[in-house]
Amino acid sequence: MCGISGAVGLKNISQVLFEGIRNLEYRGYDSCGVALMNKKRIVIKKDIGGVEEFYRKHNVLQMESKTGIAHTRWATHGKVTLENTHPFTSNEKNFAVVHNGIISNYRPLRDQLKKEGYKFFSETDTEILAHLLEKFYKSSRNVEKAFIKMLNIIEGTFALAFISSHLPDHIFCAKRESPLMLGIGDEVKFIGSDFNAFIDHTKNAVILDDGEYAILSRDAYVVKNILSKDEVIKPITKIEWDSETTKKGGYPHYMLKEIYEQPQTISTALDLEASGLDDIVDLFVESENVYLLGVGTTFYVAKYAKYIFSKIAKEFFPSISSDEFLALANVDKRSLVFSASQSGETYDTLSALKHAKSKGARTGAVVNVMGSSIARLVDKVVLQGSGPEICVISTKAALSQMVILTLIAMKLALKKKVITRKVYNTHLRALRELPEIIEGVLNERSGFIHRLANKYSSSRNWLYLGRGIYYPIALESALKMKEVAYVHAEGMPGGFLKHGTLAMIDDDIFSIVFVPPPEDKALYEATMHCIEEIRARSGFVLGIHFTQQGKNQDLYSEELILPKVPSLTAPLIQLVIGQLFAYFTATSLKRNVDKPRSLAKSVTVA
Ligand code: AGP
């Protein structure tokens, strides 16, 4: 949801800002722009489209400046036009502002400013900020005072930053419910929506909390509370990721790189078994009712966890899409609300957790980004350590979350004495074999999946079917297909098909069925029934299964055979196939894989 980057102090910060917003482009890439201080004058350059093209077209790297801010936009208020692109300047051009979030009371403020003679050139909520700064500066002749006054009248969510020709060697910024952090170098200071904005220059970060603002110059920075105006002494967070891990490392896309990183990220997740989960398990034990939350992919992670908790720990924990949480959940101090979030910044999940907290519920989360809002908000957090996930499509983070939630379910079951230590160890062995099996599948099956995806890339309608725990795998695989290939794909429980959708089966509908290993007899047979139903209507079925070659010759139109694996990990291996099938379909259709249209990596708006 928009990326902000800023720097003050270097001889020329153009290159730094370029790298900053390029690294943040996964947050939004509709348009971008910079505001640079040049001899006490603010120079603005902006355009629609991506960062690299913008820099090339406008020769921005040639523009010298020691202080500047930059922005890459994901449109919320106002269409994708040059006029709506950040930064915005005040009418006298003494302030330039960038913003991420939504100013909810911008309409009355804009009407008032218009009455006072301020001219507006965009449809955005952000432009009022520049005018408010100018207006309040006129009465106080003090930039910080004008800033505080503006912060106290705007409502909604924001990470915002500005530069001003009245104090040319400074950057001002503030945060409420949208992420913003400072990078602390020796003779240079940075701001960024996340670490990626300055990771090449410093590993020292200060994470702003809601209701704080900061002022930065080459040699100093100060963080203050918006309401009290008192200085807040903030800890320095050491960034553990390095920029190398965020680069593509020879893969054509981040998505493929991140799919191939899964053996590693699962191993890292499994390291938590020894040390990192006991507190969380206690939370589950102590709570009378548990809700599992997530949205988009992490909703499917929560759904997967629902099946795992039921299967292993004999507990029924409902899974709720975070955006529906308020409408559904009745929580109180006996409840636990446990969520999954890659970014830790997703508005829907964050506000659901805040609501839960306000009702006295316990909260927990598995999160990939340390220092993120959700990581800091919840009572107990599991940092999954999957490393930066740059592609907008979530793959490795989701799979690791599923593994971590399986570990939690196993520990809960052991604690409740629902399973013996022996069974626990059998499950653990199965999980520990997973990285190697996935590595093998990636190496040996991707060529075939690639060919299959090319062959069927013109299919416009896919049904993804799975029963039991394979149902969330079907849902998540279908979501991958929709978001990266822009192909209609509908995930559905296998048993649901005959209750309506079967009527659609014809030459134009292609089905993928996630077939459990035959050892899971009941589920396997139930899945077979749904395949028969499709085949009886001459429908196309791609079966992803674990039985031997040739055994099902007449059943499938195409089949992808996987090695024999324990039933605990079978669905996770099939998810990797779902990810690859979506990826190769997208490349075959020449989609913008890492930055699909209309999406953004972390959705920090309602
Ligand atoms: C994943 O591929 C999606 N782009 C999206 O559904 C995502 O999972 C969702 O927005 C939640 O994000 P989070 O994990 O960062 O909270």
Side-chain angles (χ1 to χ4, degrees):
M1 299 298 88
C2 306
I4 292 176
S5 134
V8 50
L10 293 175
K11 258 202 184 122
N12 187 0
I13 45 100
S14 282
Q15 178 74 28
V16 175
L17 294 183
F18 165 62
E19 290 160 9
I21 51 167
R22 190 191 51 193
N23 291 350
L24 294 176
E25 239 187 332
Y26 69 87
R27 302 178 62 85
Y29 31 83
D30 291 335
S31 61
C32 58
V34 294
L36 299 169
M37 194 61 73
N38 187 290
K39 301 192 184 93
K40 301 198 178 174
R41 264 189 57 246
I42 295 173
V43 180
I44 302 281
K45 290 278 173 198
K46 52 184 170 180
D47 210 337
I48 51 175
V51 172
E52 299 222 3
E53 191 194 342
F54 160 69
Y55 266 75
R56 231 186 356 259
K57 197 164 144 196
H58 294 274
N59 281 327
V60 187
L61 290 179
Q62 270 69 60
M63 295 165 59
E64 290 206 0
S65 173
K66 291 181 186 163
T67 310
I69 49 178
H71 188 269
T72 177
R73 177 171 188 243
W74 187 79
T76 53
H77 284 59
K79 291 183 281 298
V80 181
T81 61
L82 182 60
E83 292 72 29
N84 290 339
T85 301
H86 299 222
F88 295 101
T89 50
S90 56
N91 286 166
E92 290 177 10
K93 310 246 177 297
N94 290 324
F95 292 91
V97 184
V98 293
H99 163 228
N100 172 17
I102 294 169
I103 307 298
S104 52
N105 62 340
Y106 82 99
R107 284 179 194 279
L109 290 170
R110 188 180 57 189
D111 293 347
Q112 179 58 31
L113 285 161
K114 274 185 180 168
K115 273 188 208 142
E116 291 169 26
Y118 288 89
K119 298 261 174 305
F120 282 78
F121 301 95
S122 80
E123 302 160 316
T124 67
D125 51 337
T126 305
E127 195 178 0
I128 57 153
L129 303 176
H131 300 324
L132 286 172
L133 285 166
E134 185 168 288
K135 170 177 161 169
F136 295 138
Y137 179 80
K138 279 184 180 154
S139 52
S140 63
R141 294 276 150 205
N142 179 306
V143 179
E144 186 176 350
K145 280 189 182 153
F147 187 25
I148 295 168
K149 205 155 179 191
M150 177 196 84
L151 290 172
N152 279 301
I153 64 163
I154 58 174
E155 290 165 12
T157 61
F158 52 79
L160 62 90
F162 73 89
I163 56 174
S164 168
S165 50
H166 299 301
L167 268 179
D169 302 323
H170 292 71
I171 293 177
F172 293 76
C173 60
K175 164 189 156 61
R176 186 195 293 154
E177 290 187 29
S178 291
L180 195 64
M181 50 199 72
L182 319 181
I184 311 302
D186 281 345
E187 291 179 348
V188 54
K189 305 288 173 282
F190 307 90
I191 59 166
S193 296
D194 71 33
F195 304 136
N196 291 310
F198 48 75
I199 198 168
D200 286 320
H201 304 278
T202 179
K203 293 263 158 74
N204 294 332
V206 168
I207 300 165
L208 293 187
D209 281 298
D210 287 343
E212 290 177 346
Y213 72 94
I215 307 172
L216 303 91
S217 59
R218 188 188 86 144
D219 298 309
Y221 70 95
V222 61
V223 178
K224 294 185 183 180
N225 182 287
I226 294 174
L227 291 176
S228 68
K229 304 180 204 77
D230 291 336
E231 184 171 347
V232 186
I233 305 300
K234 306 281 293 180
I236 298 273
T237 301
K238 283 267 171 213
I239 307 170
E240 284 166 12
W241 297 348
D242 60 36
S243 59
E244 264 319 295
T245 31
T246 66
K247 305 233 163 87
K248 276 191 210 150
Y251 289 92
H253 299 102
Y254 282 110
M255 181 171 177
L256 193 62
K257 174 179 181 258
E258 287 158 9
I259 291 173
Y260 270 78
E261 280 171 353
Q262 292 180 121
Q264 180 54 49
T265 55
I266 291 170
S267 298
T268 309
L270 287 171
D271 288 345
L272 290 165
E273 195 272 336
S275 55
L277 300 172
D278 294 333
D279 287 4
I280 301 281
V281 175
D282 288 343
L283 268 189
F284 279 80
V285 173
E286 288 155 14
S287 307
E288 273 178 37
N289 46 61
V290 178
Y291 296 90
L292 302 167
L293 281 200
V295 68
T297 284
T298 47
F299 175 48
Y300 299 145
V301 170
K303 256 185 183 301
Y304 182 82
K306 177 171 73 175
Y307 282 92
I308 277 288
F309 278 108
S310 164
K311 199 170 152 143
I312 299 181
K314 309 285 174 250
E315 290 277 12
F316 173 65
F317 300 150
S319 56
I320 302 182
S321 185
S322 312
D323 55 320
E324 289 293 314
F325 182 73
L326 258 70
L328 278 173
N330 291 311
V331 289
D332 56 31
K333 59 181 184 337
R334 295 165 301 171
S335 317
L336 166 64
V337 179
F338 194 86
S339 70
S341 176
Q342 188 287 130
S343 64
E345 300 295 348
T346 303
Y347 178 89
D348 291 319
T349 304
L350 189 59
S351 41
L353 288 165
K354 283 183 181 168
H355 173 76
K357 274 200 118 162
S358 74
K359 298 283 176 197
R362 299 176 176 95
T363 52
V366 48
V367 170
N368 193 32
V369 180
M370 63 186 283
S372 58
S373 303
I374 292 176
R376 285 177 298 132
L377 175 83
V378 293
D379 301 326
K380 293 268 184 294
V381 65
V382 183
L383 290 173
Q384 61 186 90
S386 306
E389 191 181 66
I390 301 300
C391 176
V392 166
I393 315 295
S394 185
T395 51
K396 63 173 181 172
L399 194 60
S400 295
Q401 287 165 351
M402 289 176 180
V403 169
I404 291 167
L405 282 151
T406 307
L407 285 174
I408 295 174
M410 284 160 48
K411 283 180 177 267
L412 179 64
L414 191 64
K415 199 155 191 163
K416 283 177 46 204
K417 299 199 176 31
V418 171
I419 56 169
T420 59
R421 172 63 67 179
K422 198 166 159 224
V423 172
Y424 180 92
N425 287 341
T426 309
H427 289 335
L428 192 57
R429 254 195 320 278
L431 289 177
R432 290 213 169 115
E433 286 166 5
L434 188 57
E436 212 181 312
I437 298 172
I438 291 184
E439 187 140 11
V441 165
L442 287 170
N443 292 335
E444 289 155 24
R445 299 292 196 277
S446 349
F448 180 67
I449 300 169
H450 196 164
R451 285 194 294 280
L452 215 54
N454 280 347
K455 187 169 168 190
Y456 294 104
S457 62
S458 58
S459 317
R460 303 309 297 156
N461 290 297
W462 285 94
L463 269 181
Y464 280 64
L465 301 164
R467 279 193 176 247
I469 196 159
Y470 295 83
Y471 166 44
I473 297 299
L475 286 169
E476 168 59 4
S477 301
L479 180 61
K480 298 301 90 172
M481 183 62 109
K482 283 185 274 201
E483 60 184 347
V484 71
Y486 320 152
V487 169
H488 173 240
E490 193 177 343
M492 191 178 297
F496 200 84
L497 183 68
K498 59 184 170 297
H499 296 282
T501 315
L502 199 56
M504 302 257 309
I505 298 293
D506 63 13
D507 293 353
D508 280 341
I509 306 278
F510 290 71
S511 301
I512 296 190
V513 184
F514 295 86
V515 185
E519 294 74 41
D520 259 348
K521 205 162 176 294
L523 215 52
Y524 176 79
E525 281 171 6
T527 308
M528 287 299 134
H529 291 158
C530 105
I531 296 173
E532 301 281 6
E533 285 158 13
I534 303 170
R535 297 299 282 149
R537 278 135 195 104
S538 308
F540 172 99
V541 174
L542 162 57
I544 303 173
H545 67 85
F546 299 89
T547 36
Q548 291 154 17
Q549 182 113 37
K551 269 201 139 184
N552 304 296
Q553 230 155 22
D554 303 334
L555 204 56
Y556 302 117
S557 324
E558 295 278 4
E559 58 184 337
L560 202 151
I561 307 170
L562 292 166
K564 197 168 160 29
V565 292
S567 69
L568 182 69
T569 50
L572 300 177
I573 292 156
Q574 291 189 333
L575 177 56
V576 177
I577 306 299
Q579 297 168 343
L580 283 173
F581 191 63
Y583 170 77
F584 287 124
T585 305
T587 54
S588 174
L589 295 171
K590 306 217 171 351
R591 303 300 193 223
N592 189 356
V593 170
D594 286 329
K595 289 180 272 174
R597 67 185 181 203
S598 308
L599 301 182
K601 183 71 180 162
S602 62
V603 185
T604 55
V605 291

mmCIF file of all heavy atoms in Angstrom, residues 180-200:
data_model
loop_
_atom_site.group_PDB
_atom_site.id
_atom_site.type_symbol
_atom_site.label_atom_id
_atom_site.label_comp_id
_atom_site.label_asym_id
_atom_site.label_seq_id
_atom_site.Cartn_x
_atom_site.Cartn_y
_atom_site.Cartn_z
ATOM 1 N N LEU A 180 6.153 2.745 9.374
ATOM 2 C CA LEU A 180 7.201 3.702 9.038
ATOM 3 C C LEU A 180 8.368 3.498 9.993
ATOM 4 O O LEU A 180 8.162 3.303 11.193
ATOM 5 C CB LEU A 180 6.679 5.142 9.160
ATOM 6 C CG LEU A 180 7.545 6.214 8.515
ATOM 7 C CD1 LEU A 180 7.641 6.035 6.995
ATOM 8 C CD2 LEU A 180 7.000 7.622 8.803
ATOM 9 N N MET A 181 9.566 3.517 9.450
ATOM 10 C CA MET A 181 10.730 3.377 10.324
ATOM 11 C C MET A 181 11.870 4.269 9.887
ATOM 12 O O MET A 181 11.880 4.777 8.767
ATOM 13 C CB MET A 181 11.163 1.925 10.416
ATOM 14 C CG MET A 181 11.333 1.202 9.129
ATOM 15 S SD MET A 181 11.292 -0.571 9.419
ATOM 16 C CE MET A 181 9.576 -0.834 9.793
ATOM 17 N N LEU A 182 12.807 4.475 10.803
ATOM 18 C CA LEU A 182 13.964 5.316 10.523
ATOM 19 C C LEU A 182 15.175 4.408 10.371
ATOM 20 O O LEU A 182 15.285 3.387 11.050
ATOM 21 C CB LEU A 182 14.223 6.284 11.681
ATOM 22 C CG LEU A 182 13.009 6.955 12.342
ATOM 23 C CD1 LEU A 182 13.490 7.905 13.451
ATOM 24 C CD2 LEU A 182 12.186 7.721 11.308
ATOM 25 N N GLY A 183 16.102 4.823 9.516
ATOM 26 C CA GLY A 183 17.385 4.127 9.397
ATOM 27 C C GLY A 183 18.450 5.073 9.918
ATOM 28 O O GLY A 183 18.517 6.233 9.503
ATOM 29 N N ILE A 184 19.268 4.555 10.836
ATOM 30 C CA ILE A 184 20.212 5.454 11.504
ATOM 31 C C ILE A 184 21.640 5.171 11.034
ATOM 32 O O ILE A 184 22.280 4.190 11.451
ATOM 33 C CB ILE A 184 20.104 5.282 13.043
ATOM 34 C CG1 ILE A 184 18.626 5.337 13.504
ATOM 35 C CG2 ILE A 184 20.956 6.338 13.759
ATOM 36 C CD1 ILE A 184 17.870 6.617 13.146
ATOM 37 N N GLY A 185 22.153 6.020 10.139
ATOM 38 C CA GLY A 185 23.552 5.910 9.705
ATOM 39 C C GLY A 185 24.389 6.950 10.435
ATOM 40 O O GLY A 185 23.849 7.788 11.173
ATOM 41 N N ASP A 186 25.726 6.919 10.250
ATOM 42 C CA ASP A 186 26.599 7.855 10.982
ATOM 43 C C ASP A 186 26.360 9.311 10.591
ATOM 44 O O ASP A 186 26.090 10.156 11.419
ATOM 45 C CB ASP A 186 28.061 7.501 10.721
ATOM 46 C CG ASP A 186 28.454 6.310 11.579
ATOM 47 O OD1 ASP A 186 27.690 6.006 12.518
ATOM 48 O OD2 ASP A 186 29.471 5.671 11.274
ATOM 49 N N GLU A 187 26.465 9.565 9.311
ATOM 50 C CA GLU A 187 26.247 10.959 8.894
ATOM 51 C C GLU A 187 25.123 11.024 7.872
ATOM 52 O O GLU A 187 25.130 11.847 6.961
ATOM 53 C CB GLU A 187 27.544 11.522 8.322
ATOM 54 C CG GLU A 187 28.576 11.698 9.410
ATOM 55 C CD GLU A 187 29.889 12.239 8.884
ATOM 56 O OE1 GLU A 187 30.072 12.256 7.657
ATOM 57 O OE2 GLU A 187 30.712 12.633 9.719
ATOM 58 N N VAL A 188 24.186 10.143 8.024
ATOM 59 C CA VAL A 188 23.029 10.108 7.128
ATOM 60 C C VAL A 188 21.879 9.429 7.867
ATOM 61 O O VAL A 188 22.093 8.538 8.678
ATOM 62 C CB VAL A 188 23.380 9.358 5.809
ATOM 63 C CG1 VAL A 188 23.941 7.976 6.087
ATOM 64 C CG2 VAL A 188 22.168 9.235 4.905
ATOM 65 N N LYS A 189 20.671 9.917 7.622
ATOM 66 C CA LYS A 189 19.488 9.296 8.245
ATOM 67 C C LYS A 189 18.490 8.970 7.124
ATOM 68 O O LYS A 189 18.431 9.684 6.110
ATOM 69 C CB LYS A 189 18.828 10.258 9.245
ATOM 70 C CG LYS A 189 19.771 10.785 10.327
ATOM 71 C CD LYS A 189 20.154 9.755 11.361
ATOM 72 C CE LYS A 189 21.226 10.285 12.298
ATOM 73 N NZ LYS A 189 22.600 10.278 11.748
ATOM 74 N N PHE A 190 17.735 7.925 7.359
ATOM 75 C CA PHE A 190 16.788 7.462 6.340
ATOM 76 C C PHE A 190 15.400 7.308 6.958
ATOM 77 O O PHE A 190 15.267 7.148 8.176
ATOM 78 C CB PHE A 190 17.188 6.080 5.813
ATOM 79 C CG PHE A 190 18.595 5.992 5.328
ATOM 80 C CD1 PHE A 190 19.625 5.633 6.199
ATOM 81 C CD2 PHE A 190 18.911 6.272 4.010
ATOM 82 C CE1 PHE A 190 20.934 5.549 5.765
ATOM 83 C CE2 PHE A 190 20.216 6.183 3.560
ATOM 84 C CZ PHE A 190 21.240 5.814 4.443
ATOM 85 N N ILE A 191 14.397 7.298 6.083
ATOM 86 C CA ILE A 191 13.085 6.815 6.507
ATOM 87 C C ILE A 191 12.628 5.782 5.474
ATOM 88 O O ILE A 191 13.099 5.787 4.328
ATOM 89 C CB ILE A 191 12.017 7.931 6.620
ATOM 90 C CG1 ILE A 191 11.819 8.647 5.274
ATOM 91 C CG2 ILE A 191 12.360 8.927 7.713
ATOM 92 C CD1 ILE A 191 10.567 9.497 5.242
ATOM 93 N N GLY A 192 11.729 4.894 5.893
ATOM 94 C CA GLY A 192 11.244 3.906 4.937
ATOM 95 C C GLY A 192 9.999 3.226 5.452
ATOM 96 O O GLY A 192 9.792 3.129 6.657
ATOM 97 N N SER A 193 9.174 2.747 4.517
ATOM 98 C CA SER A 193 7.991 1.976 4.910
ATOM 99 C C SER A 193 8.408 0.656 5.525
ATOM 100 O O SER A 193 7.698 0.078 6.327
ATOM 101 C CB SER A 193 7.113 1.674 3.697
ATOM 102 O OG SER A 193 6.625 2.858 3.173
ATOM 103 N N ASP A 194 9.551 0.135 5.096
ATOM 104 C CA ASP A 194 10.139 -1.008 5.789
ATOM 105 C C ASP A 194 11.642 -0.969 5.578
ATOM 106 O O ASP A 194 12.173 -0.094 4.893
ATOM 107 C CB ASP A 194 9.473 -2.336 5.399
ATOM 108 C CG ASP A 194 9.802 -2.773 3.988
ATOM 109 O OD1 ASP A 194 10.917 -2.494 3.506
ATOM 110 O OD2 ASP A 194 8.944 -3.409 3.364
ATOM 111 N N PHE A 195 12.313 -1.954 6.144
ATOM 112 C CA PHE A 195 13.777 -1.980 6.112
ATOM 113 C C PHE A 195 14.350 -1.921 4.695
ATOM 114 O O PHE A 195 15.457 -1.438 4.484
ATOM 115 C CB PHE A 195 14.295 -3.294 6.717
ATOM 116 C CG PHE A 195 13.821 -3.579 8.106
ATOM 117 C CD1 PHE A 195 13.382 -4.850 8.444
ATOM 118 C CD2 PHE A 195 13.838 -2.596 9.080
ATOM 119 C CE1 PHE A 195 12.955 -5.135 9.731
ATOM 120 C CE2 PHE A 195 13.404 -2.879 10.367
ATOM 121 C CZ PHE A 195 12.963 -4.146 10.699
ATOM 122 N N ASN A 196 13.583 -2.486 3.739
ATOM 123 C CA ASN A 196 14.138 -2.577 2.380
ATOM 124 C C ASN A 196 14.490 -1.210 1.794
ATOM 125 O O ASN A 196 15.258 -1.123 0.852
ATOM 126 C CB ASN A 196 13.131 -3.277 1.460
ATOM 127 C CG ASN A 196 12.999 -4.737 1.815
ATOM 128 O OD1 ASN A 196 14.007 -5.433 1.941
ATOM 129 N ND2 ASN A 196 11.788 -5.199 2.035
ATOM 130 N N ALA A 197 13.907 -0.154 2.365
ATOM 131 C CA ALA A 197 14.180 1.195 1.839
ATOM 132 C C ALA A 197 15.633 1.605 2.082
ATOM 133 O O ALA A 197 16.178 2.416 1.350
ATOM 134 C CB ALA A 197 13.232 2.204 2.485
ATOM 135 N N PHE A 198 16.258 1.068 3.118
ATOM 136 C CA PHE A 198 17.632 1.529 3.420
ATOM 137 C C PHE A 198 18.581 0.408 3.813
ATOM 138 O O PHE A 198 19.665 0.646 4.305
ATOM 139 C CB PHE A 198 17.592 2.611 4.513
ATOM 140 C CG PHE A 198 16.750 2.259 5.715
ATOM 141 C CD1 PHE A 198 17.196 1.354 6.662
ATOM 142 C CD2 PHE A 198 15.495 2.849 5.894
ATOM 143 C CE1 PHE A 198 16.414 1.041 7.760
ATOM 144 C CE2 PHE A 198 14.694 2.535 7.001
ATOM 145 C CZ PHE A 198 15.165 1.623 7.937
ATOM 146 N N ILE A 199 18.179 -0.830 3.580
ATOM 147 C CA ILE A 199 18.940 -1.988 4.059
ATOM 148 C C ILE A 199 20.377 -2.028 3.513
ATOM 149 O O ILE A 199 21.282 -2.563 4.140
ATOM 150 C CB ILE A 199 18.160 -3.279 3.701
ATOM 151 C CG1 ILE A 199 18.649 -4.445 4.533
ATOM 152 C CG2 ILE A 199 18.202 -3.579 2.241
ATOM 153 C CD1 ILE A 199 17.732 -5.664 4.450
ATOM 154 N N ASP A 200 20.615 -1.420 2.347
ATOM 155 C CA ASP A 200 21.969 -1.405 1.774
ATOM 156 C C ASP A 200 22.876 -0.414 2.485
ATOM 157 O O ASP A 200 24.082 -0.414 2.270
ATOM 158 C CB ASP A 200 21.908 -1.010 0.288
ATOM 159 C CG ASP A 200 21.369 -2.153 -0.552
ATOM 160 O OD1 ASP A 200 21.746 -3.310 -0.263
ATOM 161 O OD2 ASP A 200 20.569 -1.895 -1.464
#
